[in-house]
Amino acid sequence: SDGAWNNIEGGAPTRWMVMKNLLGVNIFTYILAGCIVFFISMNLIFGPGWLGQSLGWEDVGTFTKTSDSLPLNVDVSAPEYLLQ
């Protein structure tokens, strides 16, 4: 009985394998994690917008342009902004 029980326990999956299966970790998860690490490190090295700038897109990663429809300043002391 003890030998059979040892055989059963010996063939059991490890806790890591059980957790991996429960969480659905597969090769796609590892590829996604690698992509996340790659893009975050490139953003830290080259700054935001490095990919768009290398592709030739304009105004990517910069906040220098403002919309013409937005006012540059707003007077919040006007009566319509006061709480009643």
Side-chain angles (χ1 to χ4, degrees):
S1 175
D2 287 335
W5 187 253
N6 287 336
N7 283 341
I8 292 171
E9 284 183 337
T14 62
R15 285 188 173 184
W16 169 247
M17 292 298 292
V18 172
M19 288 303 295
K20 210 167 87 165
N21 287 336
L22 285 174
L23 295 174
V25 176
N26 56 22
I27 188 68
F28 177 74
T29 310
Y30 294 120
I31 292 171
L32 184 62
C35 288
I36 289 170
V37 169
F38 172 76
F39 283 108
I40 287 177
S41 62
M42 291 296 110
N43 279 345
L44 291 174
I45 294 169
F46 297 120
W50 63 270
L51 181 60
Q53 290 171 359
S54 65
L55 293 175
W57 298 341
E58 294 182 13
D59 302 323
V60 178
T62 59
F63 300 102
T64 55
K65 284 192 173 182
T66 57
S67 173
D68 294 334
S69 64
L70 294 174
L72 294 177
N73 54 13
V74 177
D75 182 17
V76 292
S77 64
E80 60 264 18
Y81 296 112
L82 296 177
L83 296 175
Q84 308 240 350

